[in-house]
Each structure stands twice: as C-alpha cells, then as structure tokens.
Amino acid sequence: MTRALINAPKTARRGEIVEIRAMLAHPMETGFRTGTMGKAIPRDIINRFVCTWNGEEIFSADLFPAIAANPYLAFTAVATESGTIAFAWTGDDGETRTAETEITVT
C-alpha cells in the first residue's frame, strides 16, 4: 500500500498562488534489478499522478522507471475557491490510490 504525505495550505486568499507538495512512499521498482536468488524483481512503479481542485484537474504527471523511490512532486495553483484538493495515482497493478486535503479560500 502506498502512503502519501501531502503538504498544502489550509487557508489562502482568493487569487493567491499556493504551493502544493506530495511525496508518495513507493519503492518504484524498475524491473531491471535482480534479487538475492538472481531472479528479476518484478516492475512496480507509479505510472500516473493527477491532482484536482473541486474536481477540476490542476496538475498531472506521467511517471517512468527512471523516477527514484518515494517520488516527490511540487507544483503551484491559483486559489480560486474553497474546497477539496484530491490526489490520485495509478501503479502497474492498475490500482488507483487517493488522498485528499481541504483548503479554505477567503
């Protein structure tokens, strides 16, 4: 199970540029390494990351095997309205995991 550490402001002024950061605790195994028995370790990476603000996509990224373990993503957005900032990421296993945080815009 992938765990996410999300850092976004709890409050912002309308029109303010806010920084949003996410770190996904994930091994990002490329599939090129071998284990102790000489057998290849299966590939297990996060392929896609999407962030939405009240359902509207504000950031997305396609990730590849060259990304290090525990990917860290930081980006900015303009605070337009209060609501939910939602994060979703999909891995090789096809499972989508999510996290959310609330922001109040005054």
Side-chain angles (χ1 to χ4, degrees):
M1 186 69 173
T2 304
R3 190 171 52 98
L5 299 173
I6 306 299
N7 185 318
K10 297 288 182 203
T11 62
R13 293 186 315 274
R14 188 171 312 280
E16 181 181 355
I17 297 173
V18 296
E19 183 177 34
I20 301 166
R21 296 179 291 213
M23 188 187 82
L24 310 174
H26 192 279
M28 296 295 283
E29 187 55 60
T30 65
F32 297 120
R33 294 184 324 131
T34 56
T36 57
M37 302 302 271
K39 191 174 179 182
I41 299 171
R43 178 179 140 143
D44 180 20
I45 67 167
I46 295 170
N47 296 306
R48 180 109 173 116
F49 175 85
V50 178
C51 179
T52 60
W53 191 316
N54 288 338
E56 182 180 336
E57 186 175 304
I58 59 170
F59 178 82
S60 68
D62 292 320
L63 306 178
F64 298 93
I67 304 294
N70 305 319
Y72 172 80
L73 301 146
F75 51 95
T76 58
V78 177
T80 56
E81 62 183 344
S82 298
T84 302
I85 301 173
F87 306 85
W89 57 98
T90 306
D92 277 342
D93 59 5
E95 188 176 335
T96 299
R97 295 159 181 95
T98 61
E100 292 182 348
T101 189
E102 297 292 324
I103 187 168
T104 302
V105 176
T106 57

